[in-house]
Amino acid sequence: MNNNVISRFLVLLLIMVTETVAVTARGEESRQDSALCYFDSVEVALLTCEPHDEVYSLYGHTAIRITDRNANTDIAVNYGIFNSKADFFVPRFVFGLTDYMMGVTDMQQFLAEYDYYGSGVMQQRLNMTAQEKQRLLEALRENALPENVVYRYNFFYNNCTTKARDMILDALDGKVEYKQKGLREGERSFRDLIHSKAGTHRWAAAGNDLLLGVQADENTTFAEREFLPQVLMIDFDDAVVKRNDGKVEKLVGESTWLLPSTHPTVFNEAPGFPLTPMQCASVFFGVILALCVVHCVTRKKVYEKIEYGVVCVYGLAGLILLAMVFSQHPTVRINFQILVLNPLLPFICMPRFRNKYTFAIVTGCLVVFFVAGFWQRYAEGMYLMALSLQLIALTHFFLHNFGGLKKNH
């Protein structure tokens, strides 16, 4: 049986079990107590999966485990199912228009994937009453219906971890309080949290930093940090539930490693391109410096064309940042790196439009860029990219004002 068939079968099984209990619960009051007793055989747990060597897994994963001893079922429910081969998947993901799905997987099959990569899986068994378990299963059943199974994904605000958290918290008959809240209230931004999980994957971190704007550097709330699976796991471990009847109980009854990490160093490995972003930026800066010096000395037209080609590359890269303005992700809309990777640069620096104000315009943009660096953290090497652009602008300013352009041949 393939994965899709198994998933569909388990979804139907989940629907049948909860429907049966729901029908029983709608009967006489005595029968309702009997129906609730059914859930004594049901256990609910939060699963936190460690990252492995695939880039998409750098931040881990979260799922809900539902074990029913009477029905002899053991399933993992997660909200991280997506189709990377769907039409325009990457553009839709960038613009915050990606649809993810709820998925149901046999527990053995779920663990087999992480066992293959050597990634650990932590289980936190949750202390939930029969009514809370019933409420959770009924909510999961609703999510499993065809009209509800798809949801609009957002990396920070509505991902596989926040969905699992919200489903659990909404089912509780009371309020969850985190004991470590006071200790963990610091200046921690979305960017800080992403960097904490990127390890030595510096190109992945640089790519994230390039797209993230100034809002990603603002302090996050306690709940906002729980978009990361391991943060939610830590929060749940120390949390207590203050139920409406006054009873106070730890949210997590028992924590167990279902799979130990057999490849603990994999996250620190970053194979691939041999140079770091800073090294590449340094080489680029050195090439631009040499190009500008040769241009000033020889004053040959060919170097002007090469420099203009570099400016066009800056502008093309800036189109990506310009597109982010229209994204549904609020943390990417205001990005001061667009002052360096500026889509208007090819037009500002075109020979027919270039004049004595060109240097002032480019320099003004770069000054604002450097000042804004006090509020926004930039991608690794971006400052050198800005200095390279300034060198090109300074070269043309020098040649224009000292008559160099008149001697081109």
Side-chain angles (χ1 to χ4, degrees):
M1 222 185 309
N2 61 38
N3 295 354
N4 291 333
V5 173
I6 292 176
S7 295
R8 286 196 294 269
F9 171 77
L10 291 171
V11 169
L12 290 174
L13 180 62
L14 180 62
I15 293 173
M16 287 189 294
V17 170
T18 53
E19 281 287 5
T20 300
V21 175
V23 169
T24 305
R26 287 193 291 266
E28 300 174 358
E29 185 175 349
S30 59
R31 296 179 63 189
Q32 183 177 7
D33 293 336
S34 177
L36 289 176
C37 290
Y38 177 89
F39 288 96
D40 291 336
S41 68
V42 176
E43 286 190 356
V44 179
L46 182 76
L47 302 178
T48 303
C49 310
E50 290 185 337
H52 50 73
D53 53 357
E54 297 292 342
V55 174
Y56 67 81
S57 79
L58 285 182
Y59 309 103
H61 188 50
T62 299
I64 302 173
R65 182 181 185 180
I66 306 292
T67 305
D68 188 337
R69 294 188 296 272
N70 285 344
N72 196 29
T73 60
D74 192 4
I75 59 176
V77 181
N78 79 94
Y79 289 84
I81 307 300
F82 64 93
N83 180 13
S84 61
K85 297 181 180 180
D87 294 340
F88 308 108
F89 176 81
V90 174
R92 289 180 63 85
F93 186 89
V94 169
F95 285 104
L97 301 174
T98 309
D99 290 330
Y100 273 45
M101 295 177 59
M102 168 192 175
V104 182
T105 311
D106 177 77
M107 193 60 196
Q108 290 185 347
Q109 181 184 359
F110 182 84
L111 291 176
E113 176 184 355
Y114 291 93
D115 187 40
Y116 172 80
Y117 287 107
S119 299
V121 176
M122 166 66 77
Q123 172 178 281
Q124 294 172 295
R125 182 180 56 79
L126 303 179
N127 289 321
M128 301 181 70
T129 66
Q131 290 178 326
E132 291 169 343
K133 294 174 187 177
Q134 180 185 12
R135 195 177 296 129
L136 175 62
L137 262 69
E138 287 178 351
L140 292 175
R141 175 180 61 83
E142 288 294 324
N143 275 188
L145 296 176
E147 61 269 25
N148 300 326
V149 73
V150 176
Y151 74 99
R152 180 54 50 88
Y153 176 88
N154 185 290
F155 181 71
F156 288 134
Y157 301 105
N158 199 34
N159 66 7
C160 62
T161 301
T162 63
K163 290 286 288 186
R165 176 201 64 189
D166 293 344
M167 294 298 294
I168 292 171
L169 297 187
D170 289 344
L172 296 178
D173 185 22
K175 181 180 179 182
V176 173
E177 293 187 358
Y178 301 105
K179 289 186 177 181
Q180 299 297 323
K181 181 175 181 178
L183 298 177
R184 296 186 63 246
E185 284 291 348
E187 294 185 355
R188 297 285 287 175
S189 65
F190 282 123
R191 197 187 306 272
D192 291 328
L193 292 164
I194 287 179
H195 280 196
S196 71
K197 299 302 177 185
T200 57
H201 291 262
R202 293 174 67 173
W203 280 103
N208 288 328
D209 286 338
L210 181 63
L211 295 180
L212 290 174
V214 66
Q215 289 175 285
D217 292 295
E218 297 177 354
N219 291 344
T220 56
T221 66
F222 191 75
E224 286 174 341
R225 297 169 197 161
E226 292 178 342
F227 78 95
L228 286 176
Q230 289 186 322
V231 173
L232 181 64
M233 178 186 73
I234 294 172
D235 288 349
F236 267 31
D237 196 52
D238 291 310
V240 295
V241 183
K242 289 190 174 182
R243 293 197 166 84
N244 296 333
D245 60 4
K247 184 179 179 181
V248 178
E249 187 177 19
K250 283 184 63 66
L251 177 61
V252 174
E254 181 184 20
S255 298
T256 309
W257 282 102
L258 297 180
L259 282 178
S261 297
T262 59
H263 198 176
T265 61
V266 67
F267 186 56
N268 292 321
E269 298 174 358
F273 195 68
L275 298 180
T276 67
M278 181 59 73
Q279 289 170 338
C280 287
S282 300
V283 171
F284 180 77
F285 177 78
V287 171
I288 295 300
L289 177 60
L291 178 66
C292 291
V293 170
V294 173
H295 188 187
C296 289
V297 172
T298 64
R299 302 185 179 183
K300 290 185 178 180
K301 193 88 172 176
V302 63
Y303 297 111
E304 179 183 348
K305 294 180 179 180
I306 295 175
E307 290 161 357
Y308 180 66
V310 173
V311 169
C312 288
V313 172
Y314 272 72
L316 289 174
L319 291 176
I320 299 175
L321 301 187
L322 178 62
M324 293 298 97
V325 175
F326 306 98
S327 174
Q328 297 298 309
H329 298 293
T331 53
V332 302
R333 292 174 187 165
I334 303 175
N335 190 340
F336 289 106
Q337 291 171 113
I338 200 171
L339 296 171
V340 177
L341 304 178
N342 192 331
L344 296 179
L345 278 175
F347 303 99
I348 296 173
C349 298
M350 284 183 67
R352 67 174 63 182
F353 298 131
R354 191 165 56 235
N355 54 45
K356 61 182 179 180
Y357 300 110
T358 302
F359 174 76
I361 294 173
V362 174
T363 301
C365 288
L366 295 180
V367 168
V368 175
F369 165 80
F370 280 104
V371 172
F374 288 101
W375 293 276
Q376 178 181 337
R377 289 167 60 185
Y378 299 137
E380 184 178 352
M382 186 55 62
Y383 284 111
L384 284 178
M385 297 293 290
L387 290 175
S388 299
L389 180 60
Q390 185 65 69
L391 276 177
I392 294 175
L394 185 61
T395 298
H396 285 275
F397 175 78
F398 171 78
L399 294 174
H400 179 84
N401 286 276
F402 289 88
L405 297 179
K406 298 178 181 179
K407 298 181 181 180
N408 288 335
H409 57 276

